[in-house]
Amino acid sequence: MSRSQPIEFVSLGMLVLDEIRIPGHPALTNVVGGSGAFSTLGFRIFHPSPSSYKVGCLVLAGADFPDQVQEELEKWEVTLLVKKDAEKLSTRGLLEYHDDTFGPKTFTYTNPPLKPSPEDLIDTPFLAAKVFHILATPEEIISQVPRLLDLRAQHDIPGQPFIIWEPLPSSCVPANLTAMRQACAHVDVFSPNHIELGNLFDTAQASAFNRGEIESLAYDFTISTNLVNNAIMIVRCAEHGSLTITTSCESNSTTHMPLWLPSFHAAGSNRVVDTTGGGNAFLGGFAVGWVETGDVTMASVYGHVAASFVVEQIGMPRVEREEDGHRVSEGSVEVVEVWNGVSVKDRLREYLGRTENGSE
């Protein structure tokens, strides 16, 4: 917390220490996961050091939080705040795959989850962040967002933050549909994945992905919801890409504009190892694109690029630093970052080239 750069992004999602079990393989323990960690990583990869310290990483931990995990997070070179409670245990989960294809899986918490709230931001630079990612139920959004804004006002923090809401998967049930719609009035982005959207409308999931059905459900939600002007709904569809719908209200009429974009890695790509966390990272990348461009299409592009790095291995992608002989600063060779051996800027250019040519 010694860095003084203004914070651009903070997630109020969780960091979860996962135990991963795959049939025929030894169990993996203390694997960093959770929506908070993955969304923070999605924002971080677009900010090489020293601008990486604009990224806030809030971790609620217990007495058992491993030193090696904190050291792993410190290598990201973000503004890290680990709040330890000596009377509690860290958030842990068991992720069990049904086979060795990283397809069907089940997840259960093995320790009670420690969920961040706006109260955890008091007396920290995180309170003044430009963008907040929140994993929450609709009831939590309805209570926490006004509380966040009130805390910012109390501390004379100017401007309205950009709020990205990722609904808690278990809250995506028909009984919460009205509450979901009400909560959307408090956020700028509402982003379920396609399975959660189907669950919200009690729609049985077909064996094959149905793009038309997903778009129909998304329209149903946006048309029936009292969204604020320019509100954004993003349906994250894993290897099938993403659907983004923006709402524009002009002359007493509402226009809903759909945008489909492909995932970076095509379905069935051998580059995809484990899709866990890809959707969370998408939202962190979306946040970067929105901050830098204010354009929903470019923001979604950034989201897909961020997700592409997360799905290439179990857990987090590796970051390395290489000398770039083409860029020289004050007589010395500049050191640039690569993730999984790839420049983020190069991958961004590659994806833009594909989408501009209409390739999926």
Side-chain angles (χ1 to χ4, degrees):
M1 295 288 291
S2 61
R3 300 280 175 161
S4 60
Q5 294 190 60
I7 300 299
E8 290 191 351
F9 175 89
V10 172
S11 174
L12 292 181
M14 291 180 286
L15 183 146
V16 182
L17 301 175
D18 285 330
E19 177 180 344
I20 301 178
R21 296 181 184 174
I22 306 164
H25 297 270
L28 303 174
T29 59
N30 290 331
V31 178
V32 175
S35 65
F38 281 117
S39 62
T40 301
L41 186 281
F43 198 96
R44 162 64 180 88
I45 64 172
F46 290 99
H47 285 279
S49 182
S51 68
S52 55
Y53 290 97
K54 296 178 181 179
V55 184
C57 183
L58 172 66
V59 179
L60 300 190
D64 61 332
F65 194 71
D67 290 340
Q68 65 268 29
V69 171
Q70 180 157 341
E71 291 168 3
E72 180 179 348
L73 296 174
E74 288 171 352
K75 291 178 182 177
W76 290 3
E77 297 185 300
V78 295
T79 300
L80 176 65
L81 174 59
V82 179
K83 300 183 71 172
K84 290 187 178 181
D85 188 330
E87 298 182 357
K88 295 181 179 179
L89 296 174
S90 301
T91 305
R92 292 182 180 272
L94 174 61
L95 182 61
E96 295 183 280
Y97 286 94
H98 299 180
D99 54 40
D100 61 1
T101 66
F102 294 96
K105 59 190 175 183
T106 57
F107 176 83
T108 53
Y109 287 109
T110 54
N111 284 344
L114 305 178
K115 299 181 66 176
S117 74
E119 309 301 321
D120 294 302
L121 307 177
I122 296 174
D123 296 327
T124 77
F126 294 177
L127 187 60
K130 293 181 180 179
V131 182
F132 291 92
H133 162 264
I134 305 178
L135 177 77
T137 67
E139 293 79 11
E140 288 169 337
I141 288 292
I142 291 170
S143 64
Q144 289 186 8
V145 174
R147 177 56 175 159
L148 173 63
L149 299 180
D150 181 59
L151 287 171
R152 288 168 65 95
Q154 291 177 26
H155 290 80
D156 297 320
I157 299 172
Q160 292 291 315
F162 191 75
I163 307 291
I164 298 174
W165 175 27
E166 180 181 351
L168 192 71
S170 60
S171 71
C172 294
V173 294
N176 281 338
L177 185 56
T178 298
M180 289 279 184
R181 289 170 169 155
Q182 293 172 343
C184 281
H186 297 275
V187 303
D188 299 286
V189 174
F190 172 61
S191 183
N193 65 32
H194 64 289
I195 296 173
E196 293 159 355
L197 179 63
N199 291 341
L200 192 56
F201 284 89
D202 198 21
T203 301
Q205 295 298 309
S207 57
F209 177 79
N210 190 322
R211 179 166 166 162
E213 180 182 27
I214 295 301
E215 189 165 324
S216 177
L217 293 177
Y219 270 113
D220 188 332
F221 187 89
T222 56
I223 291 171
S224 303
T225 302
N226 185 25
L227 293 174
V228 297
N229 189 33
N230 297 322
I232 302 167
M233 180 176 184
I234 305 170
V235 185
R236 294 164 288 123
C237 303
E239 71 270 24
H240 305 289
S242 66
L243 169 64
T244 302
I245 297 180
T246 55
T247 303
S248 179
C249 303
E250 297 179 0
S251 303
N252 296 321
S253 65
T254 302
T255 303
H256 301 278
M257 295 163 284
L259 168 71
W260 280 98
L261 286 175
S263 60
F264 181 88
H265 295 301
S269 169
N270 59 12
R271 295 290 303 277
V272 177
V273 173
D274 184 4
T275 60
T276 301
N280 311 129
F282 175 99
L283 294 177
F286 182 96
V288 178
W290 184 262
V291 169
E292 293 190 356
T293 71
D295 179 82
V296 68
T297 301
M298 281 301 298
S300 295
V301 165
Y302 276 62
H304 281 294
V305 171
S308 73
F309 288 96
V310 166
V311 302
E312 293 176 342
Q313 67 285 303
I314 298 173
M316 298 295 172
R318 70 184 186 280
V319 59
E320 297 171 327
R321 291 164 179 83
E322 297 182 348
E323 292 185 352
D324 185 349
H326 298 290
R327 285 184 279 182
V328 179
S329 175
E330 296 181 357
S332 62
V333 178
E334 184 178 354
V335 176
V336 297
E337 289 184 349
V338 293
W339 293 81
N340 290 350
V342 179
S343 160
V344 176
K345 289 184 178 180
D346 287 348
R347 184 164 287 187
L348 181 61
R349 281 191 290 266
E350 180 183 345
Y351 184 83
L352 284 170
R354 291 188 205 167
T355 53
E356 287 172 0
N357 293 327
S359 172
E360 301 225 1

